[in-house]
Amino acid sequence: MTARSEAPALFDECRIVHAYGELDAQTVEPLARALAEARAARHGRLFLIVDLSRVTFTDCSILTPLCAAWADCRARGGWTRLVHDHHTTNLVLRCSGLLDRFPAYASAQDAWDGRTADNGTSQRPGQPR
C-alpha cells in the first residue's frame, strides 16, 4: 500500500490523500500517516478528500484512521469525503454503518462539489457531510 498527500492549487482549503493497492491491518499505516500529515499541514478549516479509487482490497482497518480524520475535519468546520468504487470498500463501510458518513464520490472534483456517485446530488463545498 502506498499513500501520499497532495495540496492542489485549485482547492486552497482542501487536501487530497491517495491510496493504492491493498489496505489491511498490515498495510494501513501509510494511509493513517498520510491522513495525519494532511491534517497537520493546515490549521483551521480543512476539507479532506481520500482517494481510494486505486485500492484493490480493504478491510475494517481503514475505519479508525478515516473516522479520526472525519472527526478532526468536522470539528474544524470542514469535512472528509471518499472517492471509491470498489465493492469491498463499499461493503466495509455499509457493514460498519458508516456508508452515510462516507458515501462514494466518483472523483476528487465530484467530492469537492459534493456530488455523490450514487445519486449525483450536490452539496456546497463548505457544507459538512
Side-chain angles (χ1 to χ4, degrees), residues 3-43:
R4 72 177 196 272
S5 178
E6 294 179 5
L10 180 61
F11 310 131
D12 186 39
E13 295 178 312
C14 183
R15 297 294 178 262
I16 300 177
V17 173
H18 297 270
Y20 306 91
E22 295 184 2
L23 292 171
D24 58 29
Q26 301 300 314
T27 61
V28 75
E29 186 54 35
L31 173 63
R33 191 171 36 255
L35 290 171
E37 288 170 2
R39 294 184 343 255
R42 175 154 178 87
H43 300 290

Side-chain angles (χ1 to χ4, degrees), residues 1-123:
M1 196 310 286
T2 305
R4 72 177 196 272
S5 178
E6 294 179 5
L10 180 61
F11 310 131
D12 186 39
E13 295 178 312
C14 183
R15 297 294 178 262
I16 300 177
V17 173
H18 297 270
Y20 306 91
E22 295 184 2
L23 292 171
D24 58 29
Q26 301 300 314
T27 61
V28 75
E29 186 54 35
L31 173 63
R33 191 171 36 255
L35 290 171
E37 288 170 2
R39 294 184 343 255
R42 175 154 178 87
H43 300 290
R45 186 162 76 166
L46 175 64
F47 303 119
L48 182 59
I49 297 171
V50 184
D51 187 344
L52 303 176
S53 61
R54 296 185 63 195
V55 170
T56 57
F57 171 82
T58 189
D59 65 12
C60 63
S61 62
I62 65 168
L63 298 177
T64 298
L66 289 177
C67 288
W70 181 88
D72 183 33
C73 289
R74 187 170 172 98
R76 295 163 60 174
W79 44 250
T80 300
R81 294 181 179 165
L82 305 185
V83 175
H84 66 91
D85 60 1
H86 199 273
H87 67 278
T88 59
T89 304
N90 195 53
L91 181 64
V92 166
L93 294 171
R94 188 176 39 172
C95 289
S96 65
L98 294 172
L99 198 53
D100 286 339
R101 180 180 289 185
F102 297 115
Y105 293 88
S107 68
Q109 184 65 53
D110 284 352
W112 176 250
D113 292 338
R115 193 172 34 251
T116 59
D118 58 343
N119 63 12
T121 59
S122 183
Q123 289 182 284

